[in-house]
């Protein structure tokens, strides 16, 4: 059985999820005289930079257990400039085998033109998180019709590179 710092790995993995989206382009493209709006996909990258993180141990055990939570907040950067903030909560939903667990995460991204919501599940092992691929489930303001996907790659314990596939 491999031993690893569950807090560090899970907080690092969860940071990537939350980091998600900033999109300065117009919301949709109007075509023709009928005013038909065609969906538009935009692909861009952000860096999620964790500023606070808390592990909530629901049963007091020494290792990860079902129901434990990670609460994380941070900044969203684009080309080194802060463009927004994020908040997320991740709950451990599966803890077997001993060196592996699943996190179910929900995040919101506060941006100048509205908020985005993201949710999904991914697996964390002693080697770190596997693929972090989450769904964009909606938003407010300019992002009120948003959907798509987000992929996260952990760069460090507090930073995650996010690739956003946003459809509006």
């Amino acid at each position: 059985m491999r031993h690893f710092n569950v807090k560090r790995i899970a907080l690092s993995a969860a940071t990537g999820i939350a980091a998600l989206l900033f999109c300065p382009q117009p919301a949709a493209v109007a075509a023709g005289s009928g005013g038909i709006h065609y969906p538009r996909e935009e692909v861009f990258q952000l860096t999620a930079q964790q500023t606070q993180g808390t592990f909530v141990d629901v049963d007091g055990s020494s290792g990860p257990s079902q129901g434990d939570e990670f609460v994380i907040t941070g900044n969203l950067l684009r080309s080194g400039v802060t463009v927004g903030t994020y908040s997320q909560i991740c709950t451990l939903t599966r803890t077997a085998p001993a060196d592996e667990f699943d996190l179910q995460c929900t995040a919101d991204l506060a941006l100048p033109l509205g908020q985005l919501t993201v949710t999904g599940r991914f697996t964390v092992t002693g080697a770190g998180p596997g693929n972090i691929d989450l769904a964009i489930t909606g938003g407010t303001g300019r992002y009120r019709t948003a959907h798509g996907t987000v992929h996260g790659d952990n760069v460090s314990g507090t930073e995650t590179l996010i690739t956003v596939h946003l459809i509006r």
Side-chain angles (χ1 to χ4, degrees):
M1 173 166 55
R2 299 167 82 179
H3 294 283
F4 57 96
N5 183 332
V6 106
K7 280 185 184 181
R8 183 183 61 76
I9 291 173
L11 283 173
S12 174
T15 295
I17 301 162
L20 301 167
L21 313 159
F22 174 72
C23 185
Q25 290 85 6
V29 176
S33 60
I36 298 171
H37 296 278
Y38 294 96
R40 178 176 168 185
E41 181 176 13
E42 300 168 30
V43 179
F44 56 94
Q45 291 187 327
L46 295 171
T47 300
Q49 192 173 67
Q50 179 183 324
T51 58
Q52 292 181 316
T54 301
F55 175 72
V56 180
D57 188 354
V58 296
D59 69 359
S61 66
S62 62
S65 59
Q66 192 173 38
D68 287 351
E69 291 187 328
F70 298 92
V71 181
I72 300 167
T73 62
N75 296 317
L76 299 172
L77 291 86
R78 189 171 196 172
S79 300
V81 176
T82 300
V83 295
T85 60
Y86 71 92
S87 300
Q88 77 181 45
I89 297 174
C90 295
T91 303
L92 274 83
T93 58
R94 183 182 65 87
T95 59
D99 66 343
E100 180 178 296
F101 57 90
D102 289 345
L103 289 173
Q104 171 70 37
C105 298
T106 299
D108 69 83
L109 307 136
L111 304 168
L113 301 175
Q115 292 183 3
L116 285 162
T117 55
V118 178
T119 191
R121 181 183 66 86
F122 62 96
T123 300
V124 178
T125 68
N131 287 332
I132 301 175
D133 292 305
L134 306 171
I136 299 170
T137 57
T140 65
R142 177 175 277 180
Y143 310 106
R144 70 187 176 280
T145 61
H147 61 284
T149 62
V150 175
H151 176 80
D153 291 307
N154 287 323
V155 176
S156 72
T158 59
E159 287 191 351
T160 301
L161 180 61
I162 304 297
T163 302
V164 177
H165 296 265
L166 178 66
I167 300 170
R168 302 185 281 149

